[in-house]
Amino acid sequence: MLTVSVGSSSPIIYCLVYVPPNSSEEYQLELFNYLYSLDSATDSLILFGDFNFGDINWDSLCGLTHASAEFCDIIFDLNLSQLICEPTHIAGNTLDLVLTNIHDHIFNVNVHSVPPLPIPSDHYVITFDVQTPRHSEYKRATTSFNFTKGDYDSLCYFLSNFNFSPCFESNNIEHVWQYISGTIKAGINQFIPTTRVNHHSQPKWFNSSIRHKVNCVRTLRHKCNKHPSEHNKTKLENSETLLQAEIRGAKADYESTLICSSSDSNSKIFEP
């Protein structure tokens, strides 16, 4: 195996793999564990090479041997797409693969039955182009209020001494709301400092477990679309239910953490 990481802020990991025919269980186990470790190292992964799993049915993602079946499970777990749809060997087998979780950024995948290079081989040459995701696709920097460093004594004084009498003189609820909200916003702008915040494409409660379940649901949906059996539909429904339950739990835990961390601070705004 040869693994190369390209990029600094949001790197793409390219992993060249060779699985010898009739490789030992120890070799396969080491390979599979390594592939799982790559998934935790990056959000952008491209695996390619000679895998020698010619018995895999790529339409149903099923293998006839124990090793190929385990490899199919890894593809499912890591939410990888297999991009080679034709034989890559002179015997008519698809042994050489391109697997990735960023298939939207891979173009011009070609299998050359006539090798473009004078290299003697019974395998065909595979070529593809990769469009590197721009840094802006992963995070954007904006300005946000830093409420943890607000001057709440001054803000409370500002609001308690503001003249809200126009609110009591108007019967227009919209006018009243605009007056009150405008006053609060004016106080925030005056007494709450701002800070530069990097917004990532994923919310803060989004953890590795949820990411894994999202990937599984996406793969199941794809599989169910191709093979809409009752078994696949039931498996998809159960996975979606588990995903939604975990998302609700993660959101609740994150909100509780925010409330506890805010209550533990000495901010005047939380005093009774």
Side-chain angles (χ1 to χ4, degrees), residues 5-13 41-45 138:
S5 178
V6 178
S8 55
S9 57
S10 301
I12 298 177
I13 287 184
T42 182
D43 291 329
S44 304
L45 177 62
Y138 291 93

Side-chain angles (χ1 to χ4, degrees), residues 23 43 59 94 97 109 111 120 124 143 209 221 240 245 260 269:
S23 55
D43 291 329
D59 289 330
T94 303
L97 311 174
V109 180
V111 178
Y124 302 146
T143 300
S209 177
R221 284 174 181 167
E240 288 177 333
C260 291
I269 201 170

